[in-house]
């Protein structure tokens, strides 16, 4: 696994109290984590972890569950 991906996984595990879901496909690692147990004072650190990705976001379901995700491109796209 890419070093940046490993670092993000470790940080999200520490922040959420559980290992995030991960997938790797076509040179991209995607990491998803449930943030329902992340205290408000840790969201600044959580955002810093997300910003390490190429793309990131937050999804909230109808029942109020929040999940953050980030994608990390492992390869530089060719022109």
């Amino acid at each position: 696994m890419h070093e940046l991906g490993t670092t993000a996984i470790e940080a999200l595990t520490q922040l959420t109290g559980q290992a995030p879901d991960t997938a790797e496909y076509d040179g991209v690692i995607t990491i998803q984590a449930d943030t329902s147990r992340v205290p408000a004072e840790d969201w600044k650190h959580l955002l810093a972890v997300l910003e390490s990705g190429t793309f990131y976001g937050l999804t909230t379901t109808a029942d109020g569950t929040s999940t953050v995700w980030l994608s990390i491109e492992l390869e530089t796209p060719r022109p």
Side-chain angles (χ1 to χ4, degrees):
M1 170 133 339
H2 190 270
E3 182 179 340
L4 185 56
T6 301
T7 301
I9 290 167
E10 290 171 354
L12 287 172
T13 300
Q14 183 178 14
L15 286 164
T16 64
Q18 60 188 14
D21 295 327
T22 62
E24 186 174 336
Y25 183 74
D26 283 345
V28 177
I29 297 172
T30 302
I31 305 167
Q32 295 182 329
D34 179 351
T35 58
S36 60
R37 296 188 296 173
V38 177
E41 61 268 13
D42 288 341
W43 273 80
K44 187 173 183 177
H45 186 189
L46 178 65
L47 183 57
V49 174
L50 296 176
E51 288 178 337
S52 69
T54 309
F55 304 100
Y56 63 92
L58 169 72
T59 303
T60 303
T61 62
D63 68 358
T65 302
S66 295
T67 301
V68 294
W69 60 269
L70 70 147
S71 296
I72 301 168
E73 291 181 346
L74 301 176
E75 302 170 3
T76 305
R78 294 185 180 145

